[in-house]
Amino acid sequence: MTTAPTPAADRRALLQRRTLGTLVGSQMLGGVGLSAGVAVGALLAEEVSGSAELAGLGGTFQVLGAAVIAVPMARVMAARGRRPGLVLGYVLAAVGAVGLVVAGVVGSFPLLLVSSLLFGGATASNSQARYAAADLALPARRARDLSIVVWSTTVGSVVGPNLVGPSAPVARAFGLPRLTGPFVFSLVGLVLAIVVVAVLLRPDPLAEARRLAVDEGDEPGEPTHGSVVRGLRVALTHPVARLGVLTLALGHGVMVSVMVMTPLHMAHGDAQLSVIGLVISIHILGMYALSPLTGWAVDRLGGRVVALLGSVVLVLATLLAALSPMGESGRLVAGLFLLGVGWSCTLVAGSALVTGAVAAAERPGVQGASDLVMGLAAGGGGAVAGVIVDRVDFHALALTSLGVALVIGLAAVGTRAPATPEPVPEPAPRSPL
């Protein structure tokens, strides 16, 4: 016997569909804004700095920016909801896009690094949007709804790198250096994403989810916590949440460190810019296109199993990358595609593990903390990647990343859900974070 849907359930389903539609639109636009500059970020940094060893710092600062910006975003979301937090990230990224163009024009490497830091706001907003998709989702569909938003980035993220070629005449028309052209497209995409979120993400999914939970008696009406320090403490008390944070951090670190150095690996083998853009597009296709299938697998098999699968795929991807020659090759294309697929598995599985393991009132802080740790791990990986490629080679970087990917699988095998929920630690004195 089935139970008829209640008016509250019908309203929740309607709001979830509306929320998903808005987030899908903003992710497409934000994906264009973010990925249009990814394919040339390391090349612009190398051109401005004059050093291959420093080329990875542009991507590193962008990743660190996403991590740092996740801190105020978590605070804003806990206090005011998802909408103002997402807008904050996109606005900072738009300012960063302008700064990157200016840095290319005047040849200022410090300005390029600061602007890359701000540009990381696009990553922070795109990343936090997946949690907004989970706010009103039913637990049995949480990973699938989350993965739909991840998937929607496919359109913008695949289109973005392929704007590298068309951006050249735009750059010439404005009298800009060739490698700054993609950031003009980035600015347009980010501004449109801001408009979509600010106007259409209503009612706010986080605020509405908290209200519904209190009305239905599922939550006691405690204040929502946005401190990433508290969030990290909460995550560390629960083995499942801890595995989620580890999976997110190491999976993202492996993907970023290999991806940001791939354009240099290809360029040093005389690959054309258009070919580099195509390879990055294929990589990004792997990151997002299969995410609905990943979400389905997480809902059916569990996040721990999919995290293990992600580890296996990342190991295979980095092995193929390690065996690829400089320039363009089929092995590198296959490796970059699988690198994206493995990242998708770790992102969706890790996000579902983190979200499902903690109480709703703790989620903004825990989610912000997980994205902070994820960004710091990737930022460190990006910085080390540039040094490894400069002093050894790309193949050594890929093999190092393979070892890191193995850690995810070992952690997934070794983690078991506790029989009873772990106690949440008593609140520490209020932290500025």
Side-chain angles (χ1 to χ4, degrees), residues 41-42 44-46 53-65 100 109 112-113 115-117 119-120 260-261 382:
L44 179 62
E46 183 182 38
E53 185 172 353
L54 296 178
L57 286 181
T60 298
F61 269 66
Q62 181 181 324
V63 173
L64 288 175
L100 284 164
F109 191 60
L112 182 143
L113 294 180
S115 300
S116 296
L117 199 75
F119 194 66
V260 298
M261 289 294 106

Side-chain angles (χ1 to χ4, degrees), residues 20 23-24 27-28 126-127 129-131 133 143-155 157 284-292 294 340 343-345 347-348 351:
L20 286 177
L23 292 172
V24 164
Q27 287 292 93
M28 289 180 179
N126 277 14
S127 183
R130 73 192 192 276
Y131 292 129
R144 273 171 284 185
D145 287 357
L146 184 152
S147 68
I148 287 171
V149 172
V150 175
W151 168 85
S152 65
T153 314
T154 305
V155 176
S157 296
I284 294 174
L285 182 68
M287 290 173 65
Y288 299 114
L290 300 181
S291 55
T294 304
W343 174 86
S344 177
C345 291
L347 179 79
V348 175
S351 301

